[in-house]
PDB file of all heavy atoms in Angstrom:
ATOM      1  N   GLU A 526       0.846  -1.192   0.024  1.00  0.00           N
ATOM      2  CA  GLU A 526       0.011  -0.009   0.066  1.00  0.00           C
ATOM      3  C   GLU A 526       0.849   1.260   0.101  1.00  0.00           C
ATOM      4  O   GLU A 526       0.592   2.244  -0.760  1.00  0.00           O
ATOM      5  CB  GLU A 526      -0.955  -0.022   1.257  1.00  0.00           C
ATOM      6  CG  GLU A 526      -2.001  -0.963   1.151  1.00  0.00           C
ATOM      7  CD  GLU A 526      -2.841  -1.050   2.376  1.00  0.00           C
ATOM      8  OE1 GLU A 526      -2.420  -0.483   3.474  1.00  0.00           O
ATOM      9  OE2 GLU A 526      -3.976  -1.722   2.394  1.00  0.00           O
ATOM     10  N   GLN A 527       1.921   1.244   0.801  1.00  0.00           N
ATOM     11  CA  GLN A 527       2.807   2.418   0.831  1.00  0.00           C
ATOM     12  C   GLN A 527       3.603   2.630  -0.506  1.00  0.00           C
ATOM     13  O   GLN A 527       3.608   3.740  -0.918  1.00  0.00           O
ATOM     14  CB  GLN A 527       3.901   2.239   1.943  1.00  0.00           C
ATOM     15  CG  GLN A 527       3.297   2.289   3.310  1.00  0.00           C
ATOM     16  CD  GLN A 527       4.308   1.969   4.454  1.00  0.00           C
ATOM     17  OE1 GLN A 527       5.429   1.439   4.147  1.00  0.00           O
ATOM     18  NE2 GLN A 527       4.100   2.397   5.642  1.00  0.00           N
ATOM     19  N   SER A 528       3.932   1.524  -1.079  1.00  0.00           N
ATOM     20  CA  SER A 528       4.578   1.513  -2.400  1.00  0.00           C
ATOM     21  C   SER A 528       3.676   2.108  -3.480  1.00  0.00           C
ATOM     22  O   SER A 528       3.974   2.956  -4.275  1.00  0.00           O
ATOM     23  CB  SER A 528       5.120   0.252  -2.731  1.00  0.00           C
ATOM     24  OG  SER A 528       5.691   0.218  -4.072  1.00  0.00           O
ATOM     25  N   THR A 529       2.460   1.492  -3.424  1.00  0.00           N
ATOM     26  CA  THR A 529       1.468   2.022  -4.394  1.00  0.00           C
ATOM     27  C   THR A 529       1.115   3.446  -4.194  1.00  0.00           C
ATOM     28  O   THR A 529       1.091   4.220  -5.190  1.00  0.00           O
ATOM     29  CB  THR A 529       0.194   1.169  -4.263  1.00  0.00           C
ATOM     30  OG1 THR A 529       0.480  -0.246  -4.566  1.00  0.00           O
ATOM     31  CG2 THR A 529      -0.838   1.516  -5.264  1.00  0.00           C
ATOM     32  N   SER A 530       0.946   3.895  -3.014  1.00  0.00           N
ATOM     33  CA  SER A 530       0.622   5.304  -2.700  1.00  0.00           C
ATOM     34  C   SER A 530       1.725   6.172  -3.230  1.00  0.00           C
ATOM     35  O   SER A 530       1.421   7.180  -3.855  1.00  0.00           O
ATOM     36  CB  SER A 530       0.448   5.565  -1.199  1.00  0.00           C
ATOM     37  OG  SER A 530       0.329   6.823  -0.812  1.00  0.00           O
ATOM     38  N   TYR A 531       2.960   5.835  -3.014  1.00  0.00           N
ATOM     39  CA  TYR A 531       4.139   6.555  -3.551  1.00  0.00           C
ATOM     40  C   TYR A 531       4.158   6.659  -5.041  1.00  0.00           C
ATOM     41  O   TYR A 531       4.307   7.683  -5.614  1.00  0.00           O
ATOM     42  CB  TYR A 531       5.381   6.059  -2.932  1.00  0.00           C
ATOM     43  CG  TYR A 531       6.594   6.802  -3.353  1.00  0.00           C
ATOM     44  CD1 TYR A 531       6.835   8.075  -2.927  1.00  0.00           C
ATOM     45  CD2 TYR A 531       7.563   6.235  -4.262  1.00  0.00           C
ATOM     46  CE1 TYR A 531       7.946   8.800  -3.410  1.00  0.00           C
ATOM     47  CE2 TYR A 531       8.658   7.010  -4.681  1.00  0.00           C
ATOM     48  CZ  TYR A 531       8.884   8.233  -4.216  1.00  0.00           C
ATOM     49  OH  TYR A 531       9.914   9.031  -4.751  1.00  0.00           O
ATOM     50  N   LYS A 532       3.998   5.433  -5.704  1.00  0.00           N
ATOM     51  CA  LYS A 532       4.140   5.387  -7.115  1.00  0.00           C
ATOM     52  C   LYS A 532       2.985   6.047  -7.793  1.00  0.00           C
ATOM     53  O   LYS A 532       3.097   6.415  -9.003  1.00  0.00           O
ATOM     54  CB  LYS A 532       4.249   3.947  -7.461  1.00  0.00           C
ATOM     55  CG  LYS A 532       5.593   3.345  -7.217  1.00  0.00           C
ATOM     56  CD  LYS A 532       5.706   1.877  -7.670  1.00  0.00           C
ATOM     57  CE  LYS A 532       7.062   1.339  -7.368  1.00  0.00           C
ATOM     58  NZ  LYS A 532       7.185  -0.078  -7.836  1.00  0.00           N
ATOM     59  N   THR A 533       1.799   6.177  -7.133  1.00  0.00           N
ATOM     60  CA  THR A 533       0.664   6.873  -7.861  1.00  0.00           C
ATOM     61  C   THR A 533       0.658   8.378  -7.714  1.00  0.00           C
ATOM     62  O   THR A 533      -0.288   8.984  -8.100  1.00  0.00           O
ATOM     63  CB  THR A 533      -0.635   6.339  -7.339  1.00  0.00           C
ATOM     64  OG1 THR A 533      -0.652   6.427  -5.921  1.00  0.00           O
ATOM     65  CG2 THR A 533      -0.793   4.814  -7.720  1.00  0.00           C
ATOM     66  N   LYS A 534       1.737   8.994  -7.119  1.00  0.00           N
ATOM     67  CA  LYS A 534       1.716  10.365  -7.152  1.00  0.00           C
ATOM     68  C   LYS A 534       1.845  10.849  -8.584  1.00  0.00           C
ATOM     69  O   LYS A 534       2.634  10.194  -9.318  1.00  0.00           O
ATOM     70  CB  LYS A 534       2.988  10.912  -6.277  1.00  0.00           C
ATOM     71  CG  LYS A 534       2.730  10.879  -4.842  1.00  0.00           C
ATOM     72  CD  LYS A 534       3.768  11.611  -4.097  1.00  0.00           C
ATOM     73  CE  LYS A 534       3.436  11.703  -2.560  1.00  0.00           C
ATOM     74  NZ  LYS A 534       4.517  12.383  -1.786  1.00  0.00           N
ATOM     75  N   LYS A 535       1.121  11.833  -8.963  1.00  0.00           N
ATOM     76  CA  LYS A 535       1.117  12.315 -10.327  1.00  0.00           C
ATOM     77  C   LYS A 535       1.301  13.793 -10.443  1.00  0.00           C
ATOM     78  O   LYS A 535       0.868  14.647  -9.582  1.00  0.00           O
ATOM     79  CB  LYS A 535      -0.302  11.894 -10.964  1.00  0.00           C
ATOM     80  CG  LYS A 535      -0.604  10.485 -11.040  1.00  0.00           C
ATOM     81  CD  LYS A 535      -1.962  10.175 -11.544  1.00  0.00           C
ATOM     82  CE  LYS A 535      -1.965  10.436 -13.063  1.00  0.00           C
ATOM     83  NZ  LYS A 535      -3.257  10.113 -13.720  1.00  0.00           N
ATOM     84  N   VAL A 536       1.969  14.181 -11.501  1.00  0.00           N
ATOM     85  CA  VAL A 536       2.154  15.638 -11.829  1.00  0.00           C
ATOM     86  C   VAL A 536       1.623  15.848 -13.269  1.00  0.00           C
ATOM     87  O   VAL A 536       1.701  14.929 -14.054  1.00  0.00           O
ATOM     88  CB  VAL A 536       3.622  16.099 -11.674  1.00  0.00           C
ATOM     89  CG1 VAL A 536       4.138  15.807 -10.381  1.00  0.00           C
ATOM     90  CG2 VAL A 536       4.449  15.387 -12.785  1.00  0.00           C
ATOM     91  N   LEU A 537       1.175  17.077 -13.452  1.00  0.00           N
ATOM     92  CA  LEU A 537       0.681  17.430 -14.807  1.00  0.00           C
ATOM     93  C   LEU A 537       1.542  18.559 -15.374  1.00  0.00           C
ATOM     94  O   LEU A 537       1.569  19.683 -14.766  1.00  0.00           O
ATOM     95  CB  LEU A 537      -0.829  17.890 -14.690  1.00  0.00           C
ATOM     96  CG  LEU A 537      -1.385  18.418 -16.065  1.00  0.00           C
ATOM     97  CD1 LEU A 537      -1.531  17.265 -17.078  1.00  0.00           C
ATOM     98  CD2 LEU A 537      -2.766  19.081 -15.738  1.00  0.00           C
ATOM     99  N   ILE A 538       2.193  18.380 -16.435  1.00  0.00           N
ATOM    100  CA  ILE A 538       2.854  19.422 -17.234  1.00  0.00           C
ATOM    101  C   ILE A 538       1.898  20.221 -18.083  1.00  0.00           C
ATOM    102  O   ILE A 538       1.218  19.573 -18.923  1.00  0.00           O
ATOM    103  CB  ILE A 538       3.980  18.826 -18.068  1.00  0.00           C
ATOM    104  CG1 ILE A 538       4.957  18.143 -17.249  1.00  0.00           C
ATOM    105  CG2 ILE A 538       4.729  19.901 -18.857  1.00  0.00           C
ATOM    106  CD1 ILE A 538       6.024  17.346 -18.044  1.00  0.00           C
ATOM    107  N   PHE A 539       1.890  21.514 -17.910  1.00  0.00           N
ATOM    108  CA  PHE A 539       1.061  22.377 -18.722  1.00  0.00           C
ATOM    109  C   PHE A 539       1.930  23.365 -19.445  1.00  0.00           C
ATOM    110  O   PHE A 539       2.731  24.077 -18.844  1.00  0.00           O
ATOM    111  CB  PHE A 539       0.091  23.102 -17.957  1.00  0.00           C
ATOM    112  CG  PHE A 539      -0.851  24.082 -18.754  1.00  0.00           C
ATOM    113  CD1 PHE A 539      -1.789  23.587 -19.488  1.00  0.00           C
ATOM    114  CD2 PHE A 539      -0.671  25.464 -18.540  1.00  0.00           C
ATOM    115  CE1 PHE A 539      -2.657  24.389 -20.170  1.00  0.00           C
ATOM    116  CE2 PHE A 539      -1.515  26.360 -19.140  1.00  0.00           C
ATOM    117  CZ  PHE A 539      -2.472  25.811 -20.062  1.00  0.00           C
ATOM    118  N   SER A 540       2.073  23.333 -20.766  1.00  0.00           N
ATOM    119  CA  SER A 540       3.010  24.109 -21.544  1.00  0.00           C
ATOM    120  C   SER A 540       2.332  24.861 -22.748  1.00  0.00           C
ATOM    121  O   SER A 540       2.962  25.080 -23.789  1.00  0.00           O
ATOM    122  CB  SER A 540       4.087  23.199 -22.109  1.00  0.00           C
ATOM    123  OG  SER A 540       3.568  22.069 -22.873  1.00  0.00           O
ATOM    124  N   LYS A 541       1.070  25.272 -22.467  1.00  0.00           N
ATOM    125  CA  LYS A 541       0.386  26.122 -23.508  1.00  0.00           C
ATOM    126  C   LYS A 541       1.044  27.467 -23.645  1.00  0.00           C
ATOM    127  O   LYS A 541       1.411  28.045 -22.638  1.00  0.00           O
ATOM    128  CB  LYS A 541      -1.060  26.193 -23.264  1.00  0.00           C
ATOM    129  CG  LYS A 541      -1.789  27.009 -24.427  1.00  0.00           C
ATOM    130  CD  LYS A 541      -3.335  26.933 -24.160  1.00  0.00           C
ATOM    131  CE  LYS A 541      -3.999  27.623 -25.345  1.00  0.00           C
ATOM    132  NZ  LYS A 541      -5.492  27.548 -25.263  1.00  0.00           N
ATOM    133  N   THR A 542       1.181  27.956 -24.881  1.00  0.00           N
ATOM    134  CA  THR A 542       1.757  29.360 -25.035  1.00  0.00           C
ATOM    135  C   THR A 542       0.765  30.238 -25.930  1.00  0.00           C
ATOM    136  O   THR A 542       0.150  29.688 -26.775  1.00  0.00           O
ATOM    137  CB  THR A 542       3.138  29.244 -25.785  1.00  0.00           C
ATOM    138  OG1 THR A 542       2.996  28.547 -27.018  1.00  0.00           O
ATOM    139  CG2 THR A 542       4.081  28.578 -24.857  1.00  0.00           C
ATOM    140  N   ASN A 543       0.864  31.492 -25.595  1.00  0.00           N
ATOM    141  CA  ASN A 543       0.029  32.475 -26.342  1.00  0.00           C
ATOM    142  C   ASN A 543       1.015  33.654 -26.646  1.00  0.00           C
ATOM    143  O   ASN A 543       0.974  34.568 -25.894  1.00  0.00           O
ATOM    144  CB  ASN A 543      -1.255  32.918 -25.612  1.00  0.00           C
ATOM    145  CG  ASN A 543      -2.081  33.782 -26.270  1.00  0.00           C
ATOM    146  OD1 ASN A 543      -1.837  34.051 -27.489  1.00  0.00           O
ATOM    147  ND2 ASN A 543      -3.014  34.385 -25.719  1.00  0.00           N
ATOM    148  N   GLY A 544       1.713  33.431 -27.633  1.00  0.00           N
ATOM    149  CA  GLY A 544       2.788  34.426 -27.917  1.00  0.00           C
ATOM    150  C   GLY A 544       4.117  33.702 -28.227  1.00  0.00           C
ATOM    151  O   GLY A 544       4.008  32.661 -28.911  1.00  0.00           O
ATOM    152  N   PHE A 545       5.173  34.162 -27.581  1.00  0.00           N
ATOM    153  CA  PHE A 545       6.478  33.478 -27.855  1.00  0.00           C
ATOM    154  C   PHE A 545       6.421  32.060 -27.293  1.00  0.00           C
ATOM    155  O   PHE A 545       5.870  31.773 -26.272  1.00  0.00           O
ATOM    156  CB  PHE A 545       7.575  34.200 -27.205  1.00  0.00           C
ATOM    157  CG  PHE A 545       8.954  33.609 -27.489  1.00  0.00           C
ATOM    158  CD1 PHE A 545       9.569  33.897 -28.664  1.00  0.00           C
ATOM    159  CD2 PHE A 545       9.511  32.720 -26.579  1.00  0.00           C
ATOM    160  CE1 PHE A 545      10.868  33.332 -28.949  1.00  0.00           C
ATOM    161  CE2 PHE A 545      10.721  32.184 -26.888  1.00  0.00           C
ATOM    162  CZ  PHE A 545      11.475  32.466 -28.062  1.00  0.00           C
ATOM    163  N   ARG A 546       6.952  31.116 -28.049  1.00  0.00           N
ATOM    164  CA  ARG A 546       7.023  29.835 -27.634  1.00  0.00           C
ATOM    165  C   ARG A 546       8.521  29.298 -27.664  1.00  0.00           C
ATOM    166  O   ARG A 546       9.192  29.366 -28.671  1.00  0.00           O
ATOM    167  CB  ARG A 546       6.229  28.902 -28.647  1.00  0.00           C
ATOM    168  CG  ARG A 546       6.180  27.358 -28.304  1.00  0.00           C
ATOM    169  CD  ARG A 546       5.256  26.567 -29.113  1.00  0.00           C
ATOM    170  NE  ARG A 546       5.291  25.187 -28.712  1.00  0.00           N
ATOM    171  CZ  ARG A 546       4.507  24.706 -27.787  1.00  0.00           C
ATOM    172  NH1 ARG A 546       3.698  25.548 -26.999  1.00  0.00           N
ATOM    173  NH2 ARG A 546       4.595  23.389 -27.365  1.00  0.00           N
ATOM    174  N   HIS A 547       8.899  28.680 -26.544  1.00  0.00           N
ATOM    175  CA  HIS A 547      10.228  28.169 -26.456  1.00  0.00           C
ATOM    176  C   HIS A 547      10.454  26.802 -27.158  1.00  0.00           C
ATOM    177  O   HIS A 547       9.610  25.882 -26.967  1.00  0.00           O
ATOM    178  CB  HIS A 547      10.643  27.967 -25.007  1.00  0.00           C
ATOM    179  CG  HIS A 547      11.053  29.270 -24.254  1.00  0.00           C
ATOM    180  ND1 HIS A 547      10.113  30.136 -23.771  1.00  0.00           N
ATOM    181  CD2 HIS A 547      12.350  29.848 -24.198  1.00  0.00           C
ATOM    182  CE1 HIS A 547      10.761  31.322 -23.288  1.00  0.00           C
ATOM    183  NE2 HIS A 547      12.060  31.005 -23.480  1.00  0.00           N
ATOM    184  N   GLU A 548      11.447  26.623 -27.917  1.00  0.00           N
ATOM    185  CA  GLU A 548      11.696  25.507 -28.581  1.00  0.00           C
ATOM    186  C   GLU A 548      12.164  24.207 -27.676  1.00  0.00           C
ATOM    187  O   GLU A 548      12.127  23.093 -28.029  1.00  0.00           O
ATOM    188  CB  GLU A 548      12.824  25.651 -29.671  1.00  0.00           C
ATOM    189  CG  GLU A 548      12.414  26.612 -30.831  1.00  0.00           C
ATOM    190  CD  GLU A 548      13.637  26.763 -31.847  1.00  0.00           C
ATOM    191  OE1 GLU A 548      14.660  26.172 -31.585  1.00  0.00           O
ATOM    192  OE2 GLU A 548      13.300  27.492 -32.771  1.00  0.00           O
ATOM    193  N   SER A 549      12.496  24.663 -26.444  1.00  0.00           N
ATOM    194  CA  SER A 549      12.842  23.761 -25.439  1.00  0.00           C
ATOM    195  C   SER A 549      11.803  22.925 -24.853  1.00  0.00           C
ATOM    196  O   SER A 549      12.091  22.010 -24.045  1.00  0.00           O
ATOM    197  CB  SER A 549      13.715  24.359 -24.444  1.00  0.00           C
ATOM    198  OG  SER A 549      12.938  25.320 -23.740  1.00  0.00           O
ATOM    199  N   ILE A 550      10.541  23.245 -25.057  1.00  0.00           N
ATOM    200  CA  ILE A 550       9.412  22.618 -24.350  1.00  0.00           C
ATOM    201  C   ILE A 550       9.359  21.077 -24.548  1.00  0.00           C
ATOM    202  O   ILE A 550       9.257  20.368 -23.614  1.00  0.00           O
ATOM    203  CB  ILE A 550       8.019  23.315 -24.833  1.00  0.00           C
ATOM    204  CG1 ILE A 550       7.982  24.641 -24.169  1.00  0.00           C
ATOM    205  CG2 ILE A 550       6.845  22.380 -24.342  1.00  0.00           C
ATOM    206  CD1 ILE A 550       6.737  25.484 -24.579  1.00  0.00           C
ATOM    207  N   PRO A 551       9.562  20.556 -25.867  1.00  0.00           N
ATOM    208  CA  PRO A 551       9.535  19.151 -26.009  1.00  0.00           C
ATOM    209  C   PRO A 551      10.636  18.377 -25.196  1.00  0.00           C
ATOM    210  O   PRO A 551      10.378  17.386 -24.608  1.00  0.00           O
ATOM    211  CB  PRO A 551       9.707  18.947 -27.488  1.00  0.00           C
ATOM    212  CG  PRO A 551       9.129  20.186 -28.106  1.00  0.00           C
ATOM    213  CD  PRO A 551       9.536  21.276 -27.160  1.00  0.00           C
ATOM    214  N   ALA A 552      11.785  19.007 -25.216  1.00  0.00           N
ATOM    215  CA  ALA A 552      12.962  18.410 -24.435  1.00  0.00           C
ATOM    216  C   ALA A 552      12.621  18.390 -23.043  1.00  0.00           C
ATOM    217  O   ALA A 552      12.978  17.546 -22.217  1.00  0.00           O
ATOM    218  CB  ALA A 552      14.218  19.272 -24.700  1.00  0.00           C
ATOM    219  N   GLY A 553      11.916  19.447 -22.408  1.00  0.00           N
ATOM    220  CA  GLY A 553      11.602  19.604 -21.141  1.00  0.00           C
ATOM    221  C   GLY A 553      10.597  18.434 -20.677  1.00  0.00           C
ATOM    222  O   GLY A 553      10.643  17.844 -19.650  1.00  0.00           O
ATOM    223  N   ILE A 554       9.633  18.246 -21.501  1.00  0.00           N
ATOM    224  CA  ILE A 554       8.735  17.250 -21.255  1.00  0.00           C
ATOM    225  C   ILE A 554       9.344  15.806 -21.215  1.00  0.00           C
ATOM    226  O   ILE A 554       9.066  15.032 -20.295  1.00  0.00           O
ATOM    227  CB  ILE A 554       7.556  17.170 -22.366  1.00  0.00           C
ATOM    228  CG1 ILE A 554       6.726  18.484 -22.276  1.00  0.00           C
ATOM    229  CG2 ILE A 554       6.625  15.961 -22.209  1.00  0.00           C
ATOM    230  CD1 ILE A 554       5.694  18.642 -23.379  1.00  0.00           C
ATOM    231  N   VAL A 555      10.194  15.606 -22.089  1.00  0.00           N
ATOM    232  CA  VAL A 555      10.989  14.258 -22.187  1.00  0.00           C
ATOM    233  C   VAL A 555      11.751  14.108 -20.899  1.00  0.00           C
ATOM    234  O   VAL A 555      11.736  13.088 -20.279  1.00  0.00           O
ATOM    235  CB  VAL A 555      11.871  14.155 -23.322  1.00  0.00           C
ATOM    236  CG1 VAL A 555      12.788  12.988 -23.261  1.00  0.00           C
ATOM    237  CG2 VAL A 555      10.965  14.136 -24.726  1.00  0.00           C
ATOM    238  N   ALA A 556      12.446  15.180 -20.431  1.00  0.00           N
ATOM    239  CA  ALA A 556      13.251  15.090 -19.273  1.00  0.00           C
ATOM    240  C   ALA A 556      12.531  14.861 -18.031  1.00  0.00           C
ATOM    241  O   ALA A 556      12.822  14.071 -17.159  1.00  0.00           O
ATOM    242  CB  ALA A 556      14.130  16.391 -19.157  1.00  0.00           C
ATOM    243  N   ILE A 557      11.337  15.616 -17.827  1.00  0.00           N
ATOM    244  CA  ILE A 557      10.528  15.384 -16.709  1.00  0.00           C
ATOM    245  C   ILE A 557       9.794  14.062 -16.633  1.00  0.00           C
ATOM    246  O   ILE A 557       9.748  13.389 -15.689  1.00  0.00           O
ATOM    247  CB  ILE A 557       9.395  16.561 -16.569  1.00  0.00           C
ATOM    248  CG1 ILE A 557      10.211  17.926 -16.414  1.00  0.00           C
ATOM    249  CG2 ILE A 557       8.453  16.271 -15.466  1.00  0.00           C
ATOM    250  CD1 ILE A 557       9.286  19.093 -16.575  1.00  0.00           C
ATOM    251  N   LYS A 558       9.378  13.560 -17.826  1.00  0.00           N
ATOM    252  CA  LYS A 558       8.863  12.146 -17.820  1.00  0.00           C
ATOM    253  C   LYS A 558       9.980  11.139 -17.404  1.00  0.00           C
ATOM    254  O   LYS A 558       9.655  10.185 -16.763  1.00  0.00           O
ATOM    255  CB  LYS A 558       8.296  11.846 -19.203  1.00  0.00           C
ATOM    256  CG  LYS A 558       6.987  12.624 -19.436  1.00  0.00           C
ATOM    257  CD  LYS A 558       6.348  12.206 -20.786  1.00  0.00           C
ATOM    258  CE  LYS A 558       4.963  12.663 -20.909  1.00  0.00           C
ATOM    259  NZ  LYS A 558       4.243  12.150 -22.130  1.00  0.00           N
ATOM    260  N   LYS A 559      11.209  11.417 -17.826  1.00  0.00           N
ATOM    261  CA  LYS A 559      12.202  10.441 -17.491  1.00  0.00           C
ATOM    262  C   LYS A 559      12.402  10.468 -15.958  1.00  0.00           C
ATOM    263  O   LYS A 559      12.629   9.540 -15.332  1.00  0.00           O
ATOM    264  CB  LYS A 559      13.483  10.763 -18.188  1.00  0.00           C
ATOM    265  CG  LYS A 559      14.679   9.782 -18.059  1.00  0.00           C
ATOM    266  CD  LYS A 559      15.774  10.149 -19.028  1.00  0.00           C
ATOM    267  CE  LYS A 559      16.982   9.230 -18.865  1.00  0.00           C
ATOM    268  NZ  LYS A 559      17.728   9.282 -17.695  1.00  0.00           N
ATOM    269  N   LEU A 560      12.406  11.713 -15.282  1.00  0.00           N
ATOM    270  CA  LEU A 560      12.543  11.881 -13.976  1.00  0.00           C
ATOM    271  C   LEU A 560      11.421  11.066 -13.181  1.00  0.00           C
ATOM    272  O   LEU A 560      11.698  10.506 -12.188  1.00  0.00           O
ATOM    273  CB  LEU A 560      12.527  13.293 -13.563  1.00  0.00           C
ATOM    274  CG  LEU A 560      13.700  14.190 -13.883  1.00  0.00           C
ATOM    275  CD1 LEU A 560      13.474  15.702 -13.501  1.00  0.00           C
ATOM    276  CD2 LEU A 560      15.009  13.649 -13.114  1.00  0.00           C
ATOM    277  N   GLY A 561      10.215  11.186 -13.833  1.00  0.00           N
ATOM    278  CA  GLY A 561       9.140  10.488 -13.192  1.00  0.00           C
ATOM    279  C   GLY A 561       9.430   8.898 -13.186  1.00  0.00           C
ATOM    280  O   GLY A 561       9.083   8.312 -12.184  1.00  0.00           O
ATOM    281  N   GLN A 562       9.849   8.460 -14.334  1.00  0.00           N
ATOM    282  CA  GLN A 562      10.138   6.959 -14.434  1.00  0.00           C
ATOM    283  C   GLN A 562      11.145   6.594 -13.426  1.00  0.00           C
ATOM    284  O   GLN A 562      11.158   5.466 -12.785  1.00  0.00           O
ATOM    285  CB  GLN A 562      10.567   6.668 -15.821  1.00  0.00           C
ATOM    286  CG  GLN A 562       9.480   6.859 -16.909  1.00  0.00           C
ATOM    287  CD  GLN A 562       9.952   6.681 -18.341  1.00  0.00           C
ATOM    288  OE1 GLN A 562      11.192   6.611 -18.512  1.00  0.00           O
ATOM    289  NE2 GLN A 562       9.099   6.615 -19.287  1.00  0.00           N
ATOM    290  N   GLU A 563      12.138   7.338 -13.281  1.00  0.00           N
ATOM    291  CA  GLU A 563      13.337   7.030 -12.358  1.00  0.00           C
ATOM    292  C   GLU A 563      12.998   7.256 -10.872  1.00  0.00           C
ATOM    293  O   GLU A 563      13.678   6.706 -10.024  1.00  0.00           O
ATOM    294  CB  GLU A 563      14.561   7.899 -12.758  1.00  0.00           C
ATOM    295  CG  GLU A 563      15.067   7.506 -14.153  1.00  0.00           C
ATOM    296  CD  GLU A 563      16.154   8.512 -14.587  1.00  0.00           C
ATOM    297  OE1 GLU A 563      16.254   9.545 -13.935  1.00  0.00           O
ATOM    298  OE2 GLU A 563      16.867   8.229 -15.603  1.00  0.00           O
ATOM    299  N   ASN A 564      12.034   8.099 -10.573  1.00  0.00           N
ATOM    300  CA  ASN A 564      11.719   8.532  -9.186  1.00  0.00           C
ATOM    301  C   ASN A 564      10.311   8.151  -8.735  1.00  0.00           C
ATOM    302  O   ASN A 564       9.859   8.668  -7.803  1.00  0.00           O
ATOM    303  CB  ASN A 564      12.074  10.040  -9.022  1.00  0.00           C
ATOM    304  CG  ASN A 564      13.558  10.286  -9.246  1.00  0.00           C
ATOM    305  OD1 ASN A 564      14.313  10.149  -8.293  1.00  0.00           O
ATOM    306  ND2 ASN A 564      13.940  10.786 -10.436  1.00  0.00           N
ATOM    307  N   HIS A 565       9.588   7.409  -9.585  1.00  0.00           N
ATOM    308  CA  HIS A 565       8.355   6.829  -9.125  1.00  0.00           C
ATOM    309  C   HIS A 565       7.212   7.788  -8.926  1.00  0.00           C
ATOM    310  O   HIS A 565       6.545   7.760  -7.872  1.00  0.00           O
ATOM    311  CB  HIS A 565       8.514   6.080  -7.735  1.00  0.00           C
ATOM    312  CG  HIS A 565       9.643   4.977  -7.836  1.00  0.00           C
ATOM    313  ND1 HIS A 565       9.737   3.926  -8.703  1.00  0.00           N
ATOM    314  CD2 HIS A 565      10.873   4.935  -7.155  1.00  0.00           C
ATOM    315  CE1 HIS A 565      10.851   3.276  -8.559  1.00  0.00           C
ATOM    316  NE2 HIS A 565      11.571   3.867  -7.611  1.00  0.00           N
ATOM    317  N   PHE A 566       7.070   8.661  -9.909  1.00  0.00           N
ATOM    318  CA  PHE A 566       5.842   9.494  -9.950  1.00  0.00           C
ATOM    319  C   PHE A 566       5.522   9.558 -11.564  1.00  0.00           C
ATOM    320  O   PHE A 566       6.298   9.398 -12.370  1.00  0.00           O
ATOM    321  CB  PHE A 566       5.995  10.931  -9.403  1.00  0.00           C
ATOM    322  CG  PHE A 566       7.117  11.781 -10.028  1.00  0.00           C
ATOM    323  CD1 PHE A 566       6.912  12.591 -11.132  1.00  0.00           C
ATOM    324  CD2 PHE A 566       8.403  11.736  -9.535  1.00  0.00           C
ATOM    325  CE1 PHE A 566       7.808  13.314 -11.601  1.00  0.00           C
ATOM    326  CE2 PHE A 566       9.409  12.527 -10.050  1.00  0.00           C
ATOM    327  CZ  PHE A 566       9.123  13.360 -11.170  1.00  0.00           C
TER     328      PHE A 566
END
């Protein structure tokens, strides 16, 4: 139960832009998803 509770922590990335858009957004999403896989969220 403790493991499941920890692993089910969830974050939502929101990256909508209205104006200037950073080209780094896709790389940021990939990096944060990798962090999630490695750190159980």
